[in-house]
């Protein structure tokens, strides 16, 4: 089935460690996104990528890094510089064309907890 | 910048009650508007969308109409079910890159 796969579902990180969240899509979408969800704050955009080998910072990029070496993959690294990384992370993807309004599809999310 | 404002929650209703969840927006240009739903422990699913003024999006008994004059996109359902219990997010997208700006979400609980 087509879709977006995020892994792992649950991840625990020690202080000072970098961790990488995986996101893979087989929808042939050009654009991919990473959002962070905190209780009562909705979703906030971390990074997005419109095409392979190109990505842009979102609203809260500090302490995160991404890569887009393949169309179907957009991993997110949460670095030790991210001061409050405990959150629910959502990966998403969409077609890219000149019209806004393309539906963005989401993965099931990854829970990251700092211990 | 672009923003979305949703009514404060949570909302608790009895089964078969009428639902309205308010959403207003501020945007440059002409945004597309969306409602997403999140069931417990899951990612977001698109519920409905509208891409131009006066369009009505509908799905699973839910409806929302794009009102440019009031910059609103209120979600309605005539008769809610227990299975509608979830978090509902209003969102908008402008420009060519389609990235979404979300409201804070509102939790709906429906009692049997």
């Amino acid at each position: 089935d087509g879709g977006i796969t995020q892994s792992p579902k649950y991840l625990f990180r020690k202080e000072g460690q970098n961790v990488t969240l995986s996101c893979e899509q087989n929808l042939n979408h050009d654009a991919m996104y990473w959002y962070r969800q905190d209780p009562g704050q909705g979703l906030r955009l971390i990074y997005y990528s419109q095409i392979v080998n190109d990505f842009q910072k979102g609203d809260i990029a500090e302490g995160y890094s991404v890569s887009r070496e393949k169309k179907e993959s957009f991993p997110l690294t949460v670095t030790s510089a991210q001061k409050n990384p405990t959150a629910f992370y959502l990966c998403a993807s969409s077609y890219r064309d000149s019209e806004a309004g393309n539906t963005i599809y989401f993965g099931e999310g990854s829970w990251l907890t700092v211990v | 910048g672009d923003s979305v404002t949703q009514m404060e929650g949570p909302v608790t209703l009895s089964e078969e009650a009428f639902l309205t969840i308010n959403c207003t927006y501020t945007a440059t240009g002409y945004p597309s508007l969306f409602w997403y739903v999140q069931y417990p422990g899951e990612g977001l699913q698109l519920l409905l969308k509208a891409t131009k003024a006066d369009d009505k999006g509908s799905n699973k008994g839910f409806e929302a109409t794009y009102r440019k004059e009031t910059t609103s996109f209120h979600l309605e359902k005539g008769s809610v079910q227990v299975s509608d219990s979830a978090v509902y997010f209003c969102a908008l997208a402008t420009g060519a890159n389609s990235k979404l700006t979300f409201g804070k979400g509102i939790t709906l609980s429906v009692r049997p």
Side-chain angles (χ1 to χ4, degrees):
Chain A
D1 288 341
I4 302 170
T5 302
Q6 291 187 237
S7 62
K9 178 73 173 179
Y10 300 96
L11 184 61
F12 296 90
R13 190 195 92 170
K14 294 182 178 180
E15 294 277 355
Q17 281 184 337
N18 293 352
V19 293
T20 297
L21 306 179
S22 170
C23 178
E24 304 278 332
Q25 55 95 4
N26 60 6
L27 300 168
N28 200 33
H29 285 166
D30 302 294
M32 297 187 74
Y33 314 81
W34 275 105
Y35 285 88
R36 169 180 171 143
Q37 185 177 15
D38 296 281
Q41 293 195 45
L43 280 74
R44 293 179 289 170
L45 182 64
I46 304 172
Y47 269 97
Y48 64 102
S49 168
Q50 298 293 301
I51 56 173
V52 174
N53 292 322
D54 187 43
F55 48 84
Q56 288 79 42
K57 293 181 179 180
D59 301 319
I60 55 165
E62 185 175 355
Y64 300 97
S65 65
V66 293
S67 62
R68 186 83 188 278
E69 298 177 0
K70 299 186 295 183
K71 185 176 183 178
E72 59 271 22
S73 178
F74 192 42
L76 174 73
T77 296
V78 184
T79 74
S80 57
Q82 170 49 236
K83 299 305 180 187
N84 185 22
T86 295
F88 189 48
Y89 290 87
L90 286 157
C91 179
S93 68
S94 71
Y95 289 114
R96 170 181 174 265
D97 62 25
S98 61
E99 294 286 329
N102 287 325
T103 297
I104 294 182
Y105 297 88
F106 285 82
E108 293 294 306
S110 294
W111 289 95
L112 173 62
T113 303
V114 173
V115 297
Chain B
D2 298 343
S3 67
V4 176
T5 302
Q6 292 185 233
M7 59 184 281
E8 295 286 329
V11 173
T12 302
L13 296 173
S14 296
E15 203 165 26
E16 299 184 1
F18 184 84
L19 169 71
T20 298
I21 301 177
N22 289 343
C23 171
T24 58
Y25 67 89
T26 302
T28 55
Y30 301 96
S32 293
L33 302 173
F34 304 81
W35 276 100
Y36 279 85
V37 58
Q38 184 178 35
Y39 299 102
E42 298 183 7
L44 273 68
Q45 303 174 26
L46 178 69
L47 182 58
L48 52 85
K49 73 176 186 180
T51 57
K52 61 182 186 295
D54 299 324
D55 270 2
K56 177 186 285 187
S58 62
N59 185 28
K60 299 181 181 179
F62 291 90
E63 293 183 339
T65 301
Y66 188 140
R67 300 289 188 198
K68 183 180 176 183
E69 63 275 14
T70 55
T71 61
S72 66
F73 194 53
H74 304 323
L75 182 68
E76 297 182 337
K77 187 175 185 181
S79 175
V80 293
Q81 306 300 312
V82 172
S83 58
D84 294 327
S85 298
V87 181
Y88 292 81
F89 292 93
C90 185
L92 67 81
T94 58
N97 57 32
S98 295
K99 61 186 180 73
L100 291 167
T101 298
F102 284 89
K104 291 187 176 182
I106 185 169
T107 300
L108 170 65
S109 298
V110 180
R111 301 184 298 241

